């Protein structure tokens, strides 16, 4: 046996040993929409510094004033520039154009895409597949100077915005290429009481995570619910 073989191996890193993200500034693009506004509210309520972004700075400031908890409002470009982590919560039909226009402002940032490409017809919601494979992969293609992750797809905007609800018991599937970035997003999700951030693969696996929202919409309509996900045995 060589000395290398006999050398004591370093213990495996605990996957729940996540970084302290309390000092990061979080921007939410599309922060005046239901999902973005709900995420901004929950993160700010947990003590995170949050800046809402919108195409209209006035609209963003009005939404920020409504949310309180120190939330600020700005146009999308300013929100991107002033933030360390930027959550993309814009409508799917404006996703590509919005990110393309903000590529310089998002350079060097950790960008977390939570957009679900969906279509709707008389049968209900159904998944769309972007040319790049998923919304997150489209973001990665359009933002070569940013670090792109995907998360926060399966959260109910109704629950997020309800001030009477103290915690939201759900898991957040986090996807990305860089482990350190994924762990930052996991830790950010964990700032919201009741939530866990769980690694769920690389960006090439984002399509099925985004698509699952169509199933949750069907669940919600049938059972008059606000369904989320909980992963067992983790």
């Amino acid at each position: 046996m060589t000395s290398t073989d006999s050398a004591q191996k370093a213990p495996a890193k605990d996957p729940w040993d996540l970084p302290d993200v309390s000092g990061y500034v979080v921007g939410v693009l599309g922060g005046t929409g239901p999902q973005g506004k709900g995420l901004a509210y929950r993160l700010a309520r947990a003590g995170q510094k949050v800046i809402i972004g919108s195409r209209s700075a006035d609209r963003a400031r009005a939404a920020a004033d409504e949310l309180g908890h120190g939330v600020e409002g700005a146009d999308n470009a300013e929100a991107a520039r002033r933030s360390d982590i930027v959550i993309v919560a814009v409508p799917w039909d404006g996703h590509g154009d919005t990110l393309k226009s903000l590529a310089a402002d998002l350079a060097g940032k950790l960008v977390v895409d939570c957009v679900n490409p969906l279509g709707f017809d008389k049968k209900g919601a159904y998944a769309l597949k972007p040319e790049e494979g998923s919304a997150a992969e489209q973001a990665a293609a359009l933002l070569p100077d940013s670090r792109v992750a995907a998360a926060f797809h399966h959260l109910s905007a109704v629950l997020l915005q309800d001030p009477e609800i103290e915690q939201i018991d759900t898991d957040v599937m986090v996807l990305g290429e860089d482990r350190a970035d994924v762990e930052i997003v996991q830790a950010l999700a964990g700032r919201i009481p009741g939530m866990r951030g769980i690694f769920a693969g690389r960006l090439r696996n984002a399509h099925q995570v985004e698509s699952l929202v169509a199933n949750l919409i069907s669940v919600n309509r049938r059972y008059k619910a606000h369904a989320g996900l909980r992963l067992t045995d983790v």
Side-chain angles (χ1 to χ4, degrees), residues 20-27 38-51 67-72 84-85 166 187-193:
D20 177 8
V21 297
S22 59
Y24 285 109
V25 177
V26 178
L39 277 169
Y41 171 66
R42 286 291 158 178
L43 289 168
R45 181 168 156 169
Q48 209 75 35
K49 175 60 186 172
V50 177
I51 303 172
L67 292 179
H69 296 283
V71 177
E72 294 184 41
D84 304 302
I85 305 169
E166 295 294 327
L188 189 65
R191 295 272 287 157
I192 300 173

Side-chain angles (χ1 to χ4, degrees), residues 7-8 26 34 103 106 158 167 169 180 211:
Q8 191 173 18
V26 178
L106 291 168
V158 173
Q167 65 178 51
D169 294 317
S211 301

Side-chain angles (χ1 to χ4, degrees), residues 8-223:
Q8 191 173 18
K9 289 186 178 179
K13 183 180 183 296
D14 180 353
W16 297 111
D17 180 15
L18 300 173
D20 177 8
V21 297
S22 59
Y24 285 109
V25 177
V26 178
V28 184
L29 306 186
T32 58
Q35 193 80 357
K37 197 172 181 181
L39 277 169
Y41 171 66
R42 286 291 158 178
L43 289 168
R45 181 168 156 169
Q48 209 75 35
K49 175 60 186 172
V50 177
I51 303 172
I52 280 179
S54 175
R55 285 177 296 179
S56 163
D58 288 341
R59 203 167 128 201
R61 283 192 283 268
D65 289 343
E66 182 185 334
L67 292 179
H69 296 283
V71 177
E72 294 184 41
D75 63 43
N76 280 328
E78 183 183 343
R81 287 193 299 270
R82 291 178 57 197
S83 301
D84 304 302
I85 305 169
V86 180
I87 297 173
V88 180
V90 300
W92 166 242
D93 58 7
H95 182 265
D97 289 342
T98 299
L99 293 185
K100 197 180 300 182
S101 71
L102 295 171
D105 302 299
L106 291 168
K109 310 290 183 177
L110 173 52
V111 176
V112 185
D113 203 296
C114 71
V115 175
N116 304 303
L118 298 176
F120 295 86
D121 60 19
K122 290 186 293 184
K123 296 181 179 180
Y126 60 94
L128 303 174
K129 187 157 189 179
E131 182 180 345
E132 297 86 354
S134 64
E137 288 169 295
Q138 183 182 88
L142 293 172
L143 304 173
D145 296 320
S146 303
R147 297 129 52 211
V148 176
F152 303 115
H153 301 92
H154 306 134
L155 306 180
S156 163
V158 173
L159 298 184
L160 288 173
Q161 294 184 80
D162 188 342
E164 298 301 314
I165 294 176
E166 295 294 327
Q167 65 178 51
I168 299 175
D169 294 317
T170 193
D171 289 329
V172 172
M173 299 173 76
V174 183
L175 304 98
E177 301 301 318
D178 183 89
R179 178 176 291 186
D181 288 338
V182 167
E183 290 182 351
I184 287 171
V185 182
Q186 286 180 261
L188 189 65
R191 295 272 287 157
I192 300 173
M195 285 192 193
R196 297 187 306 173
I198 295 181
F199 172 67
R202 293 179 179 268
L203 288 187
R204 68 180 184 180
N205 292 320
H207 170 66
Q208 58 264 37
V209 173
E210 296 168 0
S211 301
L212 189 57
V213 174
N215 302 89
L216 292 178
I217 290 172
S218 297
V219 170
N220 290 339
R221 287 182 173 173
R222 174 62 64 89
Y223 298 101

